[in-house]
Amino acid sequence: MRALRKLFSFNGGVKPAPHKAASIAEPIAIAPLPERLMVPLWQSTGAAALPLVQAGDRVLKGQRIGAADGGLSVAVHAPSSGTVLEIGPQPMAHPSGLLAPAIVLATDGEERWTELEPVNVGGTPPDALRDILRDAGIVGLGGAVFPSHQKLRPGAHGTRTLIINGAECEPFITCDDMLMRERAAGVLRGAMLMKHILQAREILIGIEDNKPEALAAMRAAAGSEAEVVAVPTRYPAGGAKQLIRVLTGIEVPHGRRSTDYGVQCFNVGTAFAIHQALDHGQPLISRLVTVAGNVARPRNYEVLIGTAMREVVALAGPRPDTNRYIMGGPMMGLPMPGFDVPVVKATNAILAGSPTLFPPAPPEQPCIRCGDCARACPADLQPLELYWFSRARNFGKAQEYHLFDCIECGCCAYVCPAHIPLVDYYRYAKSEVWAREREKEAADAARQRFEFRNFRQEREDSEKAAKLAARNAAAAAAARAAADSPAPSATAAEPAEPAAEGQKKALIAAALARAQAQQAAAPPRNTDDLSAETQAEIAAIEARRQEPATTANIAGGDATGTSATPTAMPAAADKKKALIAAALARAQAQQAAAPPRNTDKLSAETQAEIAAIEARRQQAARLPPEPAPEPPREPPLEPPK
Amino acid sequence: MMHSPFLRPAPGVRGVMLTVLLALLPGIAVYAWQFGAGILVNLLLASCTAVAAEAAMLRLRGRAVGLAVGDLSALVTAWLVALSLPPLVPWWLTVLAVLIAIVAAKHLYGGLGQNPFNPAMAAYCAMIVAYPALMSQWPAPGQLDFGAQLDLILGGPRNIDAISSATVLDALRTGLRTPGATVDALRQTSPFGAVGGSGWEWVGAAYLLGGFLLLARRVITWHMPLAFLLTLALVSGVAWLIHPAQFAPPWFHLASGGTLLAAFFIITDPVSGATTPRGKLIFGAGIALVAWLIRSFGAYPEGIAFAVLLMNICVPLIDMKTQPPVFGHRGGESP
């Protein structure tokens, strides 16, 4: 074994009471098979899976029942054998309380597996391995649920270091600890497989030094294949950015991929899932879940995806005053909208909450600028400044002060003596920024549509006038010619048309190329960087934002104003998206080009643009409006857990 | 619905303020021991005025009175005002000063957390401009018994000679105007002690002790006190080396006047001070420089209060220009 590795440190962080001892007293238990499983189609960052089954179908355990939809999506599988009861909107494991499509299974208790095919990893090209992982439904199990196959792409300069995250810094959660203790060999095997796919040179396994058993187990399993490093226990040491910093000294900025810096980071649970997927051909249908908090017997359970949280918590004996569940830890966890939401791939822990365990926040007091938050911030932000700007709705300034570098770890709110819910302010500010950017896009699109409509009307008028003039002229000519010899009906305007058509096409091509170049050169917006998960959140927020507006309208009996915007039909929305995309490209091209239109004196360039839009408008109307899936800009780093 | 984090163990603003009050106790004890119990009467008077003014202003502003008065911030302001004023000023001057601090400097700007100026120093400056004579009457150690002090505080006839003429800073400033006077010669005379003012040196030492408590409890960081004290020592030291007859030595500056009270309790007011690490260094150093300039060349013997207000004005600029680099944005290297 090598001499002690030089460790780095991140600034800030906090040391909350760990609360971990209770749930590691007993080994991992297998949760019993429930009668009903509710498998959401949307369990990862990216698009929801496309259902492959119908109500009434018989399915086998491990059978793929939802297919990945696009590059940033993964499959979902039947966690047990049984019958599909229905496919429809079900409660989601998300604080919004919104419904999302899910496949509901009635289990038959037979646990009959589908045929599993182990993969010959050495003889399979990396691209095929990535496809296999996508179809096995493998996502980051640290909580971020980012599709793993997307993160298993070597960066531009190759990936030097593969980091396996066993830090597990959130209080209460011990599922990674127990996994490493009991299944160290599988975790290591998964890490080796990832090292192979990434062509990485070394594996570093980072574990907080408050888990001596896990450290010993992983060291015994790793031998010389990987270096197991004890990192100082300090929340959020398990944040991917923080762990990368501690182990390598590299700081991955917001909006960049860690592979561009030669590192990639995976949770230990993900490593184990990859081992199962490739070595046993077994898709991701279960995960370890810590059940803790206000329960009599905290413990870790291996739970089938889709099991209702209520059934899992029941195993640990919830106390009667349990008033809610939290998915994840107390620092970053999500409050669940009810007890019957399903366990999903992101569920690393379910904390039963009670008014005594997690008392309501004390009343908010004024900020006294003490700076405790700045000292606690692991991203080196000045949370108090972000707070003032967010509160003042000065979102531009908040962005200037790196609002989007905030990882929402909660350290600032944890230490704030004024009990200000700082993270809520930042979430609010971020959602407002996203909403404004989208509103601006929509407004631009509307302006473009309006201008184009004006232009088209004028063009039609002038064309009509021209045709009329031509017809008159032809009639006159015919009348004159009639004097000499009888002629067929004159079509003076027609022969010009094919030539005009060809010219138009050439112009369209030119305009398209120009618009694309413009789009590529355009600076990225905040909304570009978003993981689909965040986008979903935005959508949820947007829905909630608009809801009060609509109800207010109804209540006020005011049918004007905003009443037209809120309830756009999905199909209309898709069509609108295509139009917006086209209009945006045009807007950018136009901005670069001459001052905007005067439709009376059209330059050739403008004509080309208009032609291009028209072409695309028609295309958009004809084709199914499917926005091309963009490759992810930044696989978001997993949040600390 | 309550969102993460669900753990909120922070002690609250009240806890912070309570620590500050506790840290002031050693200084107050030594003050009372050296100069008589009159200061305790002033502290009580200031406290009552502050709480009443705070409650009245909160009520006028339509805010919840209980929680805000309970945060103890008004008491901290009151104590700092009382400790900054000469201990034998008549009662109404103390009351007026506290009213200016709480009503004008704090609540008219929006209450706790909103005031751009240090309330205690704003009140001190208003008083020294309005009542320069009363504000320059400081006692010598053990000079008056409690009865006599109480009489003066309650507005009894003031025999100026019975009260010591001035602070050491004042004595030095006026003394140096005499042709041929030197700092060394002056420091042999009555109000001067071994390093600073007689008696005040001990009070200063007790403030230092309280300051260490604040540092240990992480209520303040080391940046401001260190920058302030080092800069004061540096500028006064350079001047003293160049012209020792006209400029007092650095240890004199550090030990006299309100230097140590200011270093740990006044300039460290978080609301009106800089918040970034580098900003705190600049803020502390700036106060020291301005204070020394006023002490050495200005019209007032003590310049810290004016220096604090001047630097308060600069805080937004200092904070803006000293934002620390954010994680991942250091150095600007990118592959």
Side-chain angles (χ1 to χ4, degrees):
Chain A
M1 183 176 266
R2 252 202 288 173
L4 269 183
R5 167 171 286 270
K6 178 189 185 303
L7 290 185
F8 299 82
S9 71
F10 59 92
N11 297 327
V14 294
K15 289 188 177 177
H19 294 289
K20 287 179 188 265
S23 56
I24 54 176
E26 300 277 336
I28 298 168
I30 311 288
L33 178 70
E35 286 180 3
R36 195 165 171 275
L37 288 164
M38 199 159 78
V39 184
L41 286 166
W42 191 20
Q43 292 192 56
S44 68
T45 308
L50 302 167
L52 296 174
V53 290
Q54 292 177 337
D57 284 4
R58 303 270 309 157
V59 293
L60 296 172
K61 186 180 175 89
Q63 180 183 333
R64 197 145 57 97
I65 54 175
D69 179 15
L72 191 58
S73 172
V74 296
V76 294
H77 302 78
S80 183
S81 58
T83 314
V84 177
L85 287 179
E86 62 166 308
I87 300 172
Q90 300 288 335
M92 229 177 16
H94 189 273
S96 65
L98 295 176
L99 304 181
I103 298 177
V104 184
L105 297 178
T107 57
D108 56 14
E110 292 173 22
E111 297 269 47
R112 270 181 300 128
W113 277 92
T114 181
E115 199 175 320
L116 302 180
E117 288 174 37
V119 180
N120 172 14
V121 175
T124 314
D127 270 336
L129 288 176
R130 283 189 275 269
D131 286 351
I132 291 168
L133 291 176
R134 181 193 65 204
D135 291 339
I138 307 294
V139 294
L141 295 181
V145 288
F146 190 87
S148 299
H149 65 278
Q150 286 289 3
K151 278 174 74 181
L152 283 168
R153 296 176 191 280
H157 311 287
T159 303
R160 192 189 136 73
T161 307
L162 169 66
I163 291 176
I164 302 299
N165 186 346
E168 196 163 53
C169 57
E170 270 255 26
F172 288 98
I173 307 180
T174 56
C175 62
D176 290 350
D177 188 2
M178 295 307 289
L179 179 77
M180 289 186 285
R181 290 187 198 198
E182 297 189 13
R183 303 174 187 177
V187 173
L188 187 83
R189 172 68 186 155
M192 305 274 292
L193 292 167
M194 286 192 275
K195 183 187 173 196
H196 167 77
I197 299 173
L198 278 172
Q199 295 293 303
R201 268 180 273 171
E202 59 172 354
I203 303 175
L204 298 180
I205 303 176
I207 304 171
E208 272 193 348
D209 56 13
N210 63 356
K211 302 175 188 57
E213 293 89 348
L215 276 163
M218 287 308 297
R219 282 202 173 117
S224 59
E225 300 285 358
E227 192 179 338
V228 179
V229 188
V231 302
T233 298
R234 181 160 50 112
Y235 178 86
K241 288 186 185 203
Q242 279 66 37
L243 190 64
I244 291 171
R245 162 81 189 154
V246 168
L247 292 177
T248 67
I250 294 168
E251 292 188 3
V252 182
H254 166 71
R256 298 295 301 269
R257 290 178 213 236
S258 55
T259 42
D260 291 344
Y261 294 78
V263 272
Q264 190 56 289
C265 183
F266 290 92
N267 174 261
V268 287
T270 316
F272 187 77
I274 285 176
H275 149 65
Q276 285 194 308
L278 297 183
D279 290 338
H280 305 314
Q282 188 178 316
L284 182 60
I285 54 166
S286 68
R287 67 156 299 149
L288 294 190
V289 179
T290 304
V291 183
N294 195 39
V295 294
R297 302 173 299 278
R299 191 170 181 175
N300 283 281
Y301 293 92
E302 176 153 6
V303 183
L304 293 179
I305 306 295
T307 310
M309 285 190 183
R310 186 199 294 273
E311 293 185 46
V312 185
V313 176
L315 302 173
R319 301 209 170 88
D321 61 338
T322 298
N323 62 347
R324 63 170 159 183
Y325 294 161
I326 292 161
M327 184 171 93
M331 295 298 286
M332 287 189 78
L334 303 172
M336 291 292 103
F339 297 132
D340 291 314
V341 292
V343 167
V344 290
K345 291 174 182 176
T347 313
N348 49 13
I350 308 170
L351 301 185
S354 76
T356 23
L357 184 61
F358 302 123
E364 189 176 333
Q365 287 172 284
C367 169
I368 54 168
R369 290 164 46 93
C370 65
D372 283 356
C373 49
R375 287 200 288 283
C377 180
D380 303 323
L381 300 167
Q382 292 283 304
L384 69 161
E385 303 283 3
L386 292 177
Y387 158 72
W388 286 109
F389 293 138
S390 303
R391 211 183 130 99
R393 300 178 59 83
N394 190 348
F395 302 120
K397 218 49 179 144
Q399 277 180 276
E400 225 175 272
Y401 279 67
H402 299 281
L403 171 68
F404 284 91
D405 281 69
C406 168
I407 57 170
E408 299 180 20
C409 66
C411 289
C412 51
Y414 179 82
V415 299
C416 179
H419 306 300
I420 300 169
L422 290 163
V423 188
D424 288 358
Y425 279 96
Y426 311 144
R427 290 186 189 120
Y428 159 73
K430 287 178 183 177
S431 68
E432 287 295 304
V433 171
W434 290 325
R436 284 183 184 198
E437 285 184 358
R438 261 198 335 280
E439 270 166 30
K440 190 177 173 301
E441 281 173 24
D444 285 348
R447 186 172 55 80
Q448 297 293 335
R449 273 201 305 276
F450 175 72
E451 286 175 5
F452 178 70
R453 185 178 150 274
N454 281 356
F455 156 74
R456 194 187 55 204
Q457 262 174 357
E458 284 178 38
R459 186 194 60 185
E460 279 168 5
D461 289 350
S462 61
E463 273 176 4
K464 259 183 214 160
K467 267 188 189 155
L468 193 68
R471 208 176 294 145
N472 288 346
R480 249 185 282 117
D484 303 336
S485 59
S489 65
T491 49
E494 272 169 15
E497 272 179 15
E501 200 71 27
Q503 195 190 9
K504 206 163 145 188
K505 266 186 194 152
L507 285 170
I508 288 170
L512 259 172
R514 197 149 32 88
Q516 272 161 0
Q518 286 285 348
Q519 213 165 19
R525 290 178 304 275
N526 277 314
T527 32
D528 287 343
D529 268 352
L530 295 180
S531 62
E533 195 187 8
T534 328
Q535 281 176 345
E537 223 162 292
I538 296 169
I541 292 160
E542 186 65 9
R544 265 175 292 151
R545 276 165 52 83
Q546 289 183 349
E547 215 165 271
T550 348
T551 39
N553 271 352
I554 291 163
D558 177 14
T560 58
T562 55
S563 60
T565 44
T567 49
M569 300 304 288
D574 278 349
K575 200 167 145 192
K576 209 156 108 187
K577 255 186 218 161
L579 286 172
I580 289 170
L584 250 174
R586 189 158 38 96
Q588 278 158 356
Q590 219 176 37
Q591 253 164 9
R597 94 252 118 103
N598 188 339
T599 36
D600 294 328
K601 298 174 223 157
L602 287 175
S603 67
E605 205 175 24
T606 326
Q607 278 177 339
E609 264 151 32
I610 289 157
I613 300 140
E614 218 176 354
R616 250 172 303 160
R617 269 169 61 89
Q618 282 164 3
Q619 203 177 15
R622 242 178 281 125
L623 292 177
E626 190 60 46
E630 278 183 36
R633 269 164 197 266
E634 175 205 25
L637 295 158
E638 292 185 9
K641 52 154 291 192
Chain B
M1 190 187 286
M2 182 185 164
H3 291 276
S4 63
F6 300 94
L7 299 175
R8 293 282 180 78
V13 174
R14 181 196 179 92
V16 175
M17 297 296 171
L18 198 61
T19 312
V20 177
L21 294 177
L22 283 176
L24 278 170
L25 288 181
I28 291 170
V30 175
Y31 198 133
W33 166 51
Q34 285 287 327
F35 296 96
I39 183 65
L40 301 180
V41 178
N42 277 357
L43 282 168
L44 185 68
L45 202 58
S47 303
C48 296
T49 313
V51 171
E54 177 94 351
M57 286 310 289
L58 286 166
R59 180 170 273 262
L60 272 175
R61 293 174 54 215
R63 303 296 161 100
V65 174
L67 181 72
V69 170
D71 69 25
L72 302 180
S73 64
L75 271 189
V76 169
T77 304
W79 286 24
L80 292 177
V81 170
L83 293 173
S84 306
L85 299 177
L88 301 178
V89 289
W91 66 271
W92 53 263
L93 194 144
T94 305
V95 169
L96 186 62
V98 171
L99 285 178
I100 287 172
I102 299 288
V103 176
K106 185 178 176 184
H107 280 287
L108 291 189
Y109 282 100
L112 182 65
Q114 307 280 348
N115 47 295
F117 297 106
N118 185 313
M121 291 301 99
Y124 179 91
C125 287
M127 290 300 106
I128 203 162
V129 171
Y131 305 101
L134 285 172
M135 288 290 286
S136 60
Q137 292 166 6
W138 294 74
Q143 191 184 14
L144 295 168
D145 61 22
F146 182 62
Q149 290 190 348
L150 203 56
D151 192 41
L152 285 172
I153 290 170
L154 295 177
R158 305 177 83 82
N159 178 358
I160 300 301
D161 291 338
I163 313 165
S164 174
S165 61
T167 62
V168 279
L169 286 169
D170 209 358
L172 190 71
R173 214 174 58 85
T174 39
L176 283 174
R177 286 189 190 143
T178 324
T182 66
V183 172
D184 277 346
L186 282 167
R187 289 186 60 214
Q188 306 305 317
T189 56
S190 77
F192 294 91
V195 280
S198 173
W200 293 110
E201 299 154 335
W202 294 107
V203 180
Y207 285 144
L208 188 65
L209 188 71
F212 284 132
L213 176 72
L214 291 185
L215 284 170
R217 297 293 299 273
R218 294 171 176 257
V219 170
I220 60 171
T221 63
W222 55 268
H223 302 80
M224 276 189 207
L226 194 74
F228 173 72
L229 295 175
L230 271 184
T231 308
L232 187 59
L234 195 74
V235 289
S236 60
V238 168
W240 175 67
L241 284 173
I242 293 170
H243 199 123
Q246 281 296 312
F247 293 101
W251 48 87
F252 172 82
H253 277 284
L254 292 182
S256 56
T259 303
L260 288 165
L261 178 67
F264 294 97
F265 294 93
I266 305 266
I267 70 170
T268 52
D269 167 37
V271 173
S272 56
T275 55
T276 64
R278 275 193 304 147
K280 286 176 177 177
L281 294 176
I282 294 170
F283 183 74
I287 294 173
L289 183 64
V290 177
W292 178 80
L293 287 172
I294 295 175
R295 279 182 182 186
S296 304
F297 305 104
Y300 291 94
E302 176 58 299
I304 292 178
F306 292 105
V308 168
L309 296 192
L310 273 175
M311 290 308 289
N312 283 160
I313 298 172
C314 307
V315 161
L317 181 68
I318 294 173
D319 274 351
M320 193 177 81
K321 291 295 177 195
T322 58
Q323 286 295 311
V326 169
F327 186 96
H329 299 274
R330 275 182 267 272
E333 88 297 337
S334 61

